[in-house]
Every structure is written in C-alpha cells, then in structure tokens.
C-alpha cells in the first residue's frame, strides 16, 4: 500500500480514496485545478466535510467565535484548539488537516511557537499549521519548517490583528500596501511556507500574488483568481447569527433546520406523540407474561 493511500475509509464506508497531501495541492496549482478548503471544529462536521471530498480542512481559530461564542478570535487558547483539532482528526481521513496557531501562541518567543506547533502535530495529528503575518514571521516560518512542520501563511485581513487594523477591514487597498503584501508573500514562501491564505484583499492583489508564487494561494474574500477557496463552515451554512460578509455564499440554512427540528420535537413531547409505541422497547413475549402475572399478584396483595 502506498503512503498516500494509507488511511482507511470512514467506518461503514468502503469508498476508496487517495489521501490529499501538500504535494497533491501543489500539483493542483500547476494543473490550474481549483483547491477546495473549509473549516471544521468537531468530529461530526469534520466527517461530513471530508466525505464531501474537500481538499483541505482547517481547524481555524474562527472557532473562538462560531463555536465558543467569544467576540473575537483573540481569547481562544492552545488547549482549546488542540482539543478540537483532536476531534476533527478523528473525522478527517482524506483531506489535508491543518490547525490554526491561536493568538499569543507564537507572538512572544519563537521557541514557544515551535513547541506549540509541535503540539498540533504530535497531540492532535495536524498535517500543517497556520500562522498570521508577513515578514515579521519569516524567521518563525523557517524554524517551523526546519522542525518538519508544514506552514500555511496568512496575509491580508488577519483577524488576530483586529485592534491594530481598527476592525475587520479589507487590506492592501493602496499601491504601497499591495506591494508590501506581495513582498510579504514572497518572503513567506522563501522562508518555507507551503501554502498561503489570502483574506479580505482586492482580487487584483490576490491575482498578482497568486501569479508570483510557486505555492498555492487559498482565498477568502480575495476573489476568484486564487488557486483555491476557503470558507468558514458556519458562514456557509448559516450558523453565525450575523449577516454574512460580502464574500460569503450561503449553501444551506442549518439554523433553520435545527430550530424547526427542535421546535417540532418539543411539540411532540408536549403533545405526548413522542415517543410512540413503535419507538419503545418491549419485553420478550414470554417475559411479558410473567411480568404481567407478577404485577397482578402485587395488586392483589395491596
Ligand atoms: O480561522 C479561520 O477560520 C481562518 C480562515 C478564515 C482562513 O483563518
């Protein structure tokens, strides 16, 4: 069996697949075949997105907001990220699995950043990690790459820079800012980054960076000219309780499905129609007879 096919299919499925690797993603770029990526944060959604054959699953630190209810990505901790990445690992067989380094896990000491990235690889089974930032991350990216940790860079609207940016604003809108972002992208690739996420930037800038780099770019709010696209799953299926950003396309309404299902369940419980006899377990016939006789004896004695 080749290394690329070494993971068995999901339990209950016999559908064979070829494992996605960084190399197969790079080949997709060379062949101009679009790369599909999405976030997942637990076993169930991880398994569903993997069964839908996306190329890359990211345990994004966006989980701070959409799963844990924080107001930004800043508070989420390494322990929280590692725990949820482990759950996602159990659901992902085919896609490449990447995890986001949370805020403050690589901002103080580079060695601490490497140690934290190693936790994702060793404890959670991640195959790549993502860090936000440009030239200020070059030396960290080199050290991670030296430690055999594949790195995904992240440029543009980087949510961990929320307060420096003064809000979630499209980045790279001037010639100077766009050229600086291109320089950052080139520097990250030279340092060893294997992929690059481009978030919230004009499509023209994303197209130029994509054209300039040998590694794949994955866009989110960066237009159609990137080598691939990523969406936050909860944005795509309406589980965010907020109006979608301009770049989000809604592919389903999970909020409506859950609300309707739970409301119907509550009504069925309240009306007594759930559970029905068919939804109940029964004693075997011979036991039932003895049980009824013993109930009758108990009643006679009383
Ligand atoms: O945290 C996240 O979900 C991300 C994606 C938006 C790329 O970083």
């Amino acid at each position: 069996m080749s290394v690329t096919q070494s993971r068995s299919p999901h339990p209950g499925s016999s559908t064979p697949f070829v494992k996605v690797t960084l190399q197969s993603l790079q080949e997709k770029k060379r062949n101009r075949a679009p790369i599909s990526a999405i976030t997942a944060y637990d076993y169930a959604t991880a398994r569903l997105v993997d069964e839908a054959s996306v190329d890359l699953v990211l345990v994004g630190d966006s989980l701070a907001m959409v799963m844990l209810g924080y107001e930004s990505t800043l508070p989420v901790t390494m322990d929280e990220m590692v725990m949820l990445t482990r759950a996602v690992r159990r659901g992902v067989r085919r896609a490449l699995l990447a995890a986001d380094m949370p805020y403050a896990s690589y901002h103080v000491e580079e060695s601490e950043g490497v140690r934290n990235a190693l936790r994702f690889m060793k404890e959670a089974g991640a195959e790549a990690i993502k860090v936000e930032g440009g030239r200020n991350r070059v030396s960290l990216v080199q050290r991670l790459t030296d430690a055999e940790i594949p790195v995904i860079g992240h440029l543009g609207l980087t949510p961990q820079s929320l307060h420096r940016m003064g809000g979630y604003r499209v980045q790279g809108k001037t010639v100077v800012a766009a050229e600086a972002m291109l320089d950052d992208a080139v520097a990250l690739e030279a340092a060893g980054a294997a992929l690059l996420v481009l978030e919230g930037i004009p499509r023209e800038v994303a197209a130029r960076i994509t054209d300039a780099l040998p590694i794949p770019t994955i866009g989110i709010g960066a237009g159609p000219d990137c080598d691939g696209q990523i969406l936050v799953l909860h944005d795509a299926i309406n589980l965010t309780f907020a109006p979608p950003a301009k770049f989000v396309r809604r592919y389903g309404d999970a909020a409506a499905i859950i609300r309707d299902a739970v409301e119907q369940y509550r009504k069925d419980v309240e009306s007594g129609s759930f559970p029905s006899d068919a939804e109940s377990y029964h004693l075997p016939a011979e036991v039932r007879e003895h049980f009824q006789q013993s109930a009758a004896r108990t009643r006679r004695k009383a």
Side-chain angles (χ1 to χ4, degrees):
M1 184 181 287
S2 80
V3 172
T4 52
Q5 289 170 314
S6 61
R7 279 185 171 269
S8 52
H10 290 282
S13 159
S14 57
T15 316
F17 60 82
V18 176
K19 174 84 184 79
V20 178
T21 61
L22 284 173
Q23 289 69 23
S24 60
L25 296 182
Q26 274 152 9
E27 197 177 320
K28 277 198 151 193
K29 175 172 178 118
R30 283 195 294 277
N31 296 337
R32 297 185 183 281
I35 295 166
S36 56
I38 198 150
T39 62
Y41 315 109
D42 61 15
Y43 170 76
T45 55
R47 186 165 168 173
L48 291 170
V49 301
D50 196 49
E51 286 176 350
S53 298
V54 290
D55 295 311
L56 172 72
V57 175
L58 172 71
V59 185
D61 63 350
S62 51
L63 72 79
M65 300 167 80
V66 300
M67 289 290 287
L68 304 181
Y70 291 123
E71 284 195 358
S72 76
T73 60
L74 303 187
V76 72
T77 64
M78 269 304 293
D79 286 344
E80 288 167 327
M81 291 295 301
V82 168
M83 196 264 274
L84 293 172
T85 305
R86 285 165 64 100
V88 171
R89 173 72 285 170
R90 292 189 278 271
V92 172
R93 304 270 168 143
R94 176 187 174 276
L96 190 88
L97 175 62
D100 233 347
M101 297 279 288
Y103 182 58
S105 69
Y106 57 100
H107 296 75
V108 182
E109 294 282 345
E110 277 178 12
S111 314
E112 192 187 14
V114 177
R115 251 191 303 277
N116 282 325
L118 286 168
R119 282 192 67 193
F120 280 119
M121 308 294 284
K122 284 180 75 80
E123 292 175 38
E127 295 161 273
I129 60 89
K130 178 164 81 57
V131 291
E132 297 184 4
R135 65 202 73 182
N136 56 337
R137 301 285 171 242
V138 159
S139 147
L140 174 66
V141 171
Q142 274 163 348
R143 288 193 57 180
L144 293 167
T145 307
D146 284 349
E148 314 299 347
I149 303 167
V151 181
I152 303 176
H154 185 161
L155 290 174
L157 191 172
T158 45
Q160 292 175 7
S161 319
L162 167 66
H163 298 304
R164 180 179 55 71
M165 293 183 306
Y168 299 109
R169 297 170 194 284
V170 174
Q171 301 293 302
K173 291 204 311 190
T174 64
V175 173
V176 172
E179 299 277 0
M181 203 180 296
L182 176 61
D183 291 347
D184 281 342
V186 170
L188 287 172
E189 189 276 324
L195 294 173
L196 191 59
V197 167
L198 299 174
E199 177 168 358
I201 64 173
R203 70 175 282 185
E204 297 81 1
V205 182
R208 184 145 167 228
I209 293 174
T210 301
D211 210 36
L213 293 188
I215 57 170
T217 60
I218 312 288
I220 173 162
D225 306 305
C226 298
D227 297 306
Q229 298 294 326
I230 184 163
L231 276 181
V232 169
L233 174 67
H234 288 54
D235 284 338
I237 61 172
N238 189 26
L239 267 186
T240 55
F241 308 97
K246 173 188 170 89
F247 62 81
V248 170
R249 188 179 293 180
R250 288 245 151 107
Y251 288 92
D253 193 349
I257 291 172
I258 294 172
R259 227 180 254 123
D260 291 353
V262 175
E263 200 174 307
Q264 190 55 51
Y265 161 72
R266 176 184 59 76
K267 285 182 182 158
D268 287 355
V269 170
E270 288 174 359
S271 72
S273 76
F274 176 82
S276 66
D277 188 55
E279 287 157 333
S280 307
Y281 296 108
H282 290 274
L283 288 169
E286 65 285 4
V287 178
R288 187 160 61 229
E289 204 175 303
H290 288 298
F291 192 64
Q292 280 162 352
Q293 285 165 3
S294 107
R297 277 197 298 277
T298 311
R299 273 199 302 277
R300 275 199 299 276
K301 275 189 207 150

